[in-house]
Amino acid sequence: MNYYSETRFNNWVNKIREANIDLDNAESLAVFDQMMEDLVVACLNVIRAVKERELTKKEAIQELNAMEQILMSDVSFDDTLKSDFFDFVREGLRVVVNAAKYCVEGKISKKNFNTLIKEAVEKEKKGDFEGAFDTIARMGAKVFKGEKLPEDIDVPEEGMVLNWIDGVDAINTVMLLIEIDASTESDE
């Protein structure tokens, strides 16, 4: 089973090409959120497949690596704003995939979210972007595992950490929607 295909990715790229992006209109940016949430769902399906023994951990990691390869394929837009926004979102997408890898591997940090953010910001300040990215991906793994992002999370105003947290936020959003769906179904 293919959990995320190039075709699926390219469909999103085409939707972005067709979209009329306007920074003054938040709704015009919805296509980026939808693209991110779609990837979160694909990653959740891989995680579920491991839990249900449809995939081995090794197969799941290969599947997630393939997703990351698709995300990193060369994409260009005729519009600088779309290109910049896409690059911004792609960083969040990379966090989602790497968080899923940690979740599959069972590498879940015991540190709280604010501690992880502080660590990531410190690493970014020191120029350790890989370490900062890794720390934020570990936050995402905690969310995939069922922990909710706190409302009062201490997010930086700017920098790469801010980009990456978007990926964790997308995971959190999808997890909350799944929870709402589940409670709605049990109410019926």
Side-chain angles (χ1 to χ4, degrees):
M1 183 177 168
N2 194 329
Y3 291 86
Y4 196 83
S5 65
E6 260 181 77
T7 305
R8 191 164 163 182
F9 176 73
N10 288 329
N11 286 341
W12 285 111
V13 170
N14 290 330
K15 283 183 182 180
I16 293 167
R17 280 198 178 100
E18 293 163 8
N20 186 11
I21 305 300
D22 174 7
L23 290 181
D24 295 328
N25 178 2
E27 285 179 23
S28 76
L29 303 173
V31 67
F32 292 104
D33 292 337
Q34 293 161 352
M35 178 186 192
M36 208 176 260
E37 289 168 9
D38 182 54
L39 184 77
V40 171
V41 170
C43 289
L44 273 169
N45 286 333
V46 172
I47 293 166
R48 180 199 47 74
V50 171
K51 278 185 194 159
E52 294 178 6
R53 302 195 190 292
E54 294 166 14
L55 285 178
T56 64
K57 285 184 180 182
K58 185 179 177 187
E59 290 167 336
I61 297 299
Q62 288 171 336
E63 197 64 50
L64 293 164
N65 284 337
M67 285 183 198
E68 194 167 20
Q69 286 299 307
I70 292 168
L71 295 178
M72 298 319 292
S73 55
D74 203 21
V75 175
S76 61
F77 298 96
D78 295 337
D79 179 331
T80 312
L81 182 63
K82 283 182 185 177
S83 294
D84 291 348
F85 224 83
F86 181 80
D87 289 341
F88 174 86
V89 168
R90 186 176 358 213
E91 286 300 310
L93 294 168
R94 284 184 51 233
V95 166
V96 170
V97 173
N98 283 279
K101 287 182 199 176
Y102 283 132
C103 189
V104 165
E105 292 168 341
K107 294 180 180 173
I108 309 298
S109 176
K110 302 232 183 299
K111 295 176 183 173
N112 73 37
F113 289 114
N114 280 319
T115 301
L116 288 169
I117 285 183
K118 281 182 192 137
E119 280 180 20
V121 169
E122 284 307 308
K123 288 176 183 176
E124 182 180 4
K125 282 180 187 166
K126 292 177 184 165
D128 178 9
F129 293 102
E130 206 170 294
F133 175 87
D134 186 71
T135 302
I136 298 300
R138 289 178 185 277
M139 276 181 67
K142 289 170 71 76
V143 179
F144 268 132
K145 229 19 191 177
E147 285 188 52
K148 289 181 184 74
L149 273 181
E151 297 280 324
D152 62 345
I153 196 153
D154 206 11
V155 180
E157 299 284 318
E158 58 187 22
M160 290 305 292
V161 168
L162 179 63
N163 282 21
W164 295 326
I165 290 198
D166 260 14
V168 178
D169 194 43
I171 298 167
N172 195 58
T173 300
V174 171
M175 298 301 277
L176 289 172
L177 290 172
I178 289 170
E179 198 175 283
I180 290 167
D181 284 351
S183 69
T184 307
E185 284 173 21
S186 65
D187 289 348
E188 290 171 1

